[in-house]
Amino acid sequence: HFGALTGRYLALGADAFFLVVVTTLGLTAWMRARPKKVVPPPPPRHPYLVAIEALEQLSRSDMLTRGLTKDYYDAISDILRRYLGGTRNFDAIEMTTREVLARLKDNPLPGVTTVEIERLLSECDLVKFAKYTPSHEECEEVLKGAFSIVERGRPAVMPAMLPSTPSAGAKP
């Protein structure tokens, strides 16, 4: 009688252990299989904010003192192209200056003429591709020109997160 009772308790214990293992495995599989909560990415930053911050960072850099004039002009061109493309919804980085200007002709920036944009991008192209070496003053002027284009092309209504920006003529 005692042996049968012990066997019964052992069988009940094994059943309980099996039930715990199966339940644990089932819960683990269910937790892994359910969809994960995906946190939505933050909204994209306005091209104006991105351009102003990049130009300010460039103005504080030591690229000109290290003799990286070509890279300096390339950075200005890229910043301006990203700004233009971002505000008008096209990929200006992969376009030639003529292609960018053609896109802007259909949808111009308010307060900025395409002649100004053409002059600045052409000057950048001249330094990048024709091996022209500008003076330090010319480098400062092209940066001021980029600040001016971005500031004057600034939309009338900006997001609430807009920090106050320094003057467009920040000194590099």
Side-chain angles (χ1 to χ4, degrees):
H1 179 74
F2 181 72
L5 197 57
T6 304
R8 189 177 237 183
Y9 285 134
L10 285 176
L12 281 174
D15 288 346
F17 178 75
F18 178 75
L19 188 61
V20 167
V21 168
V22 168
T23 303
T24 303
L25 289 174
L27 283 174
T28 303
W30 177 75
M31 295 288 282
R32 287 185 180 177
R34 71 180 184 175
K36 308 283 186 264
K37 289 184 180 179
V38 178
V39 178
R45 297 182 63 227
H46 194 281
Y48 169 81
L49 297 174
V50 175
I52 288 294
E53 288 175 8
L55 288 170
E56 287 173 348
Q57 184 178 2
L58 184 63
S59 73
R60 291 188 301 270
S61 76
D62 64 345
M63 291 177 87
L64 292 176
T65 58
R66 291 188 297 147
L68 301 173
T69 306
K70 180 180 175 186
D71 294 333
Y72 181 82
Y73 272 74
D74 190 37
I76 290 173
S77 176
D78 285 353
I79 292 166
L80 189 58
R81 287 170 182 274
R82 281 192 179 94
Y83 171 71
L84 295 170
T87 58
R88 295 298 177 250
N89 297 319
F90 64 92
D91 185 12
I93 291 291
E94 299 299 323
M95 294 179 162
T96 65
T97 297
R98 283 187 181 180
E99 291 171 331
V100 170
L101 295 171
R103 290 295 290 266
L104 290 174
K105 194 175 287 186
D106 297 334
N107 191 4
L109 282 177
V112 181
T113 66
T114 54
V115 173
E116 294 171 278
I117 296 169
E118 179 179 19
R119 184 188 59 75
L120 196 135
L121 290 177
S122 295
E123 187 174 340
C124 290
D125 290 346
L126 189 64
V127 173
K128 291 181 340 185
F129 303 118
K131 310 289 188 224
Y132 173 69
T133 305
S135 68
H136 189 74
E137 291 77 25
E138 288 173 303
C139 294
E140 288 180 2
E141 286 302 314
V142 79
L143 182 64
K144 286 179 185 177
F147 266 113
S148 175
I149 288 171
V150 172
E151 281 293 341
R152 287 183 291 130
R154 177 183 183 170
V157 178
M158 286 298 299
M161 65 182 185
L162 178 63
S164 60
T165 56
S167 67
K171 187 169 172 114

